[in-house]
Amino acid sequence: MRFVASSTALLGHLQSISRVINSKSTLPILDNFLFKLQDNELEITASDLETTMTTQLQLDNADGEGRMAVPAKMLLDTLKEFPEQPLTFEIQHKNDSRVIEIFSDNGKFTIPGYDPDEYPQWPQLKPEQNTRIEMPAEVLLKGINSSLFATAVDELRPVMNGIFVQIKPQSLAFVASDAHKLVRYRRSDIQPGFENSFILPKKPANLLKGILAKQPGTVRVEFDDKNAVFTLVGYKLICRLTEGQYPNYENVIPHQNPNKLVVDRAELLTALRRVSVFSNPSSNLVKLEIKDNMVVVSAQDIDFSTSAYENINAQYDGESMHIGFKSLFLLEILSNLSSNEVSIELSDPIRASLIFPMEKDSSHEDYLTLLMPMMINI
């Protein structure tokens, strides 16, 4: 088979799916892309067994059809060195071996090919369990961006390592938690009309995040009890879902928080970055003293006799309070919010605090973050 493709267009598609490939694959064939040429369309696949990603490239000049496994690293490294130009690929059998010949304006490059039949087939969804939902690409991207940072790294509880996608008749929610912080991003403009859920692992979530930013239109999501398929414009991602029951996160969200603080997000964020340098490295504890219309952010490391504090103007309605947080977690939450101001709702120093953005990108979104406090000595 033979085809002509733009060097930069082909490289862009290959780079988009190459992150699926593990640096240390369990099967040597998984170090390759799978090329499939049919009807002037080149379909390229990358897989690590758990996650498979395909992309389609439309061709103006193609002859024949067939499949070939092509070494991923060698092909990527070669294409990176080409300026924009058409490249001619000829894939053929020579003396019981497979060969890919690439012709440029000034040269020829020969790469070995491998048996495409060794490449694993991706799983098929069970027809009797196939559930389907569609949503704008921007909604899926915002849901992943809002929650991915809060996922855990916990070998004992793998369900906490992914994003819990909760489908309800009148809403769609993305939830993530590591038991110290929790994020729930909910959309009321997505109304599937049924109830279901799945847990999206971290790797496919990151892969989707990488391509959704440049995706127009709608994403189709289909899933059963073991796998999910995300169909986008020019791309398809198939992944194995995390099995298990996600904890009832709604039980840990407090509903009675009489003390409400409104503060400039950027000002609090930069103050925390400066003050947290002086916190104890083992605890990363920072203290917030909230009173009148002021927040005092402080930290100290008794072992090295270092300390710091900074005053921030704020709006506060409630009783004076001292509360401690792990600075890394609070910084993560604030860094992943885009609102100019945030509202922090508190009950007392030993109960979870809720953090909300004051401005929303859409009237249909509900973005809630929860952070557990640390014990402090006043």
Side-chain angles (χ1 to χ4, degrees), residues 24-68:
K24 296 181 180 179
S25 297
T26 54
L27 295 175
I29 194 67
L30 295 179
D31 292 330
N32 298 268
F33 294 118
L34 178 63
F35 277 24
K36 179 183 177 182
L37 180 64
Q38 186 176 6
D39 298 330
N40 284 350
E41 181 181 85
L42 178 64
E43 181 183 83
I44 311 167
T45 302
S47 179
D48 68 353
L49 290 182
E50 296 288 324
T51 304
T52 300
M53 200 167 180
T54 67
T55 181
Q56 295 82 38
L57 185 63
Q58 298 297 323
L59 305 171
D60 296 326
N61 188 344
D63 182 26
E65 59 182 41
R67 301 191 309 153
M68 181 73 74

Side-chain angles (χ1 to χ4, degrees), residues 135-143 212-219 232:
M135 68 190 79
E138 61 185 25
V139 170
L140 180 56
L141 177 61
K142 185 68 180 291
L212 280 168
K214 50 191 176 184
Q215 281 287 319
T218 300
V219 178
L232 303 87

